[in-house]
Amino acid sequence: MTTAATLTLADGTVVPRLGQGTWYLGDDPGTRDTEIAALRAGIEAGLTLVDTAEMYGGGRSESLVGEAIAPVRDEVYLVDKVLPSNASARGTIEACERSLRALGTDRIDLYLLHWPGPHPVAETVEAFEHLRGRGLIGAWGVSNLDALDLADLPAPPLVNQVLYNPSRRGVEFDLLPAHRRSEPAITTMAYSPIEQGRLLGEPVLAEVAEGHGVDVAQVLLAWAIRDGDVVAIPKASSPEHARANARAGTLRLTPADLRRIDAAFPPPTGPAPLEML
């Protein structure tokens, strides 16, 4: 087993800094067994935070995740998301109950609003607290909220899940500092840390990877979690890929590596609209 780098959330929960995303998993019945094996291999390697959403495949991802984690449910920190269109006071509760049925579990450890939508966020948070009181969720958070959106919340979320990788660094200017200043602090969860594969051919990243004897994906994951307070959730479609992702948790980029990456992908110098995929 790979020794996982961890961080402690504001509620005291210890989670790995590298987890597993599941966007598009479950869509192809022909790859289901391999995808389940990949999730289980990742869990065995220390990637015990597993992220899904009711949006992913209209519940197919949740069904696959539920089957994959069933034998080790108590070892997994399970993250799920409610669609904004469902995030009214009543709709959030109904969506959570549907997701629990799809997952085949009695609880979701962290339940997120997937992005801002038509319903007042106060209603969504009220429903989250109701679900927490019933023991159906352990905690709540958000996804794709910018600093102004966060200011409208009645209380800080445990997590804000956002798009973050070297080509999507706008959050470094104001959103990540806002997460760190919050009382209690908001943990950043980075989705698409390899930009859905589009960064794998970047020459500078390839040179950094070669210097460490690793692949570019591992460099990108190590970059995402480099400051110690970010969780990244890469997807893996095979057991070998999941184990390679886990090994990125032990990779330490040097100051020279980080300077080279900054030169190729400059950090922001001013505010920018929050990017989403």
Side-chain angles (χ1 to χ4, degrees), residues 14 22 29-30 81 101 103 130 152 167 173 206 237 241-242 265:
V14 177
T22 61
K81 309 181 201 72
R101 289 192 294 271
L103 290 158
H130 173 84
D152 289 336
S167 69
F173 185 80
S237 54
H241 188 185
F265 302 94

Side-chain angles (χ1 to χ4, degrees), residues 21-220:
T22 61
W23 197 4
Y24 298 119
L25 293 190
D27 287 351
D28 182 356
T31 60
R32 185 179 182 87
D33 289 347
T34 301
E35 290 169 351
I36 288 173
L39 285 170
R40 289 179 177 170
I43 292 166
E44 290 173 1
L47 309 183
T48 55
L49 184 151
V50 178
D51 174 88
T52 188
E54 65 168 335
M55 185 190 79
Y56 300 165
R60 290 190 296 272
S61 172
E62 290 175 321
S63 173
L64 182 142
V65 167
E67 182 176 346
I69 70 173
V72 289
R73 175 64 186 92
D74 289 342
E75 299 174 28
V76 171
Y77 189 79
L78 179 61
V79 184
D80 206 337
K81 309 181 201 72
V82 59
L83 278 166
S85 57
N86 292 333
S88 65
R90 181 63 196 162
T92 300
I93 294 167
E94 293 173 348
C96 181
E97 291 170 343
R98 282 195 305 273
S99 290
L100 289 168
R101 289 192 294 271
L103 290 158
T105 188
D106 62 352
R107 71 194 185 284
I108 293 165
D109 297 299
L110 176 62
Y111 199 36
L112 309 180
L113 172 64
H114 208 150
W115 65 85
H119 299 289
V121 70
E123 281 191 28
T124 310
V125 172
E126 178 185 351
F128 285 159
E129 291 294 351
H130 173 84
L131 291 165
R132 197 161 67 91
R134 291 172 58 191
L136 299 184
I137 68 172
W140 62 269
V142 295
S143 180
N144 296 303
L145 267 65
D146 64 20
L148 291 176
D149 294 326
L150 291 176
D152 289 336
L153 292 172
L158 190 63
V159 160
N160 187 15
Q161 187 179 118
V162 295
L163 176 62
Y164 185 48
N165 60 57
S167 69
R168 311 277 195 163
R169 299 184 67 169
V171 295
E172 292 179 1
F173 185 80
D174 53 2
L175 187 57
L176 298 195
H179 289 178
R180 290 163 178 154
R181 288 194 307 269
S182 175
E183 292 291 343
I186 300 167
T187 294
T188 304
M189 191 174 288
Y191 72 82
S192 293
I194 62 170
E195 186 65 13
Q196 298 186 318
R198 288 185 286 271
L199 294 177
L200 296 179
E202 290 290 334
V204 167
L205 298 174
E207 292 167 7
V208 171
E210 183 178 5
H212 288 275
V214 300
D215 61 34
V216 171
Q218 290 169 311
V219 168
L220 288 165

Side-chain angles (χ1 to χ4, degrees), residues 229-245:
D229 60 354
V230 172
V231 174
I233 47 170
K235 183 182 72 174
S237 54
S238 72
E240 294 77 13
H241 188 185
R243 286 188 281 266
N245 285 347

